[in-house]
Amino acid sequence: MSLLLKETVAALEEKLGTQLDWLTVADVAVGVFFTGVVLETGHAGMAATPIREIPEAVCCPRSLARMPEAGSIRGRLARDLLPFALDRNVLKRAIGVATLNALSHLLEDKAGADGYLVTVGRDALDALPIGTGTKVVLVGAFEPYIRRLRQVEADFCVVEKNPETLRGVDRSRYRSPEAARDVFAGAEVAILTGSALVNHTMDALLDAVSKFCRIAVAGPTASLFPLPLFARGVEVVGGIRITDPALMVRILTEGGSGHHLRGECGQKMVMTPA
């Protein structure tokens, strides 16, 4: 279980209070690349769909037998979906983290950004001192960041489970998860993609990196209440704020990726400690 997500769930339950007693889920979409949740208030969140984590990614895998809720999530209380973020089933975790993101945006609209600052229209890389020769470790083969790091001529490597996600000139940048602690020790900046929240590796990654370098957590999945991340040494959290929930659901159900979402139904945002 992720202690980070457990703390996030507890914080949202405390801060939203009795609103969670009636707030329901208006829509859910489990897409190929991302999963989205829309609340009845119109607030929405998304999280990476962990398709590679499903043991049998074929028709009717037995792993889905642990998700009998399929077909009955719409209309349920949002509170009921919070434990999904801590579940053993990876698809339930994606729905749970997407719900956390939606509730985090609701809380921000309700009570303001208490304890942190939000800058709309910026990316996590815009808030970090990265330039020519900066030693960067990117955890997760997040293609938009790989392109940006190439453009600024950073000295970077990519920690990723599957080396096939890196091709051509970037193949030499591949590092295995087993080498993560060693590469963190030589880095100035570490960028952890939000998908680590869904696969429950974020806690271990932050423990491994916090002693060595500056940390950012980024990507659409990293759009949740940030104080538990800041308490673990993260300096920048870069996510997305959904501005058109109906379009988000349509894009996800039609197989869209983050490329289709940014600018069309969402705004980039950066959260930093106050």
Side-chain angles (χ1 to χ4, degrees), residues 8 27 31 37 41 43 57 66 74 79 94 112 115 119 129 132 137 139 154 198 205 214 219 265 271 274:
T8 306
D27 210 348
V37 170
T41 57
H43 296 86
R66 297 197 304 271
R74 201 177 292 170
R79 182 194 294 279
T119 305
T132 302
V137 177
V139 181
V198 176
L205 285 169
R214 305 181 73 171
C265 65
M271 296 177 283

Side-chain angles (χ1 to χ4, degrees), residues 54 56-61:
I54 299 174
E56 307 163 62
V58 295
C59 179
C60 303

Side-chain angles (χ1 to χ4, degrees), residues 4 31 36 48 64 69 75 77 105 131 159 166 170 176 183 185-186 208 212 221 226 232-233 255 259 263-265:
L4 169 65
L64 293 188
E69 293 90 347
L77 289 175
H105 298 318
V159 175
L166 294 171
D170 290 321
S176 69
V183 295
F212 300 115
T221 311
R232 288 166 170 79
H259 171 74
E264 294 187 40
C265 65

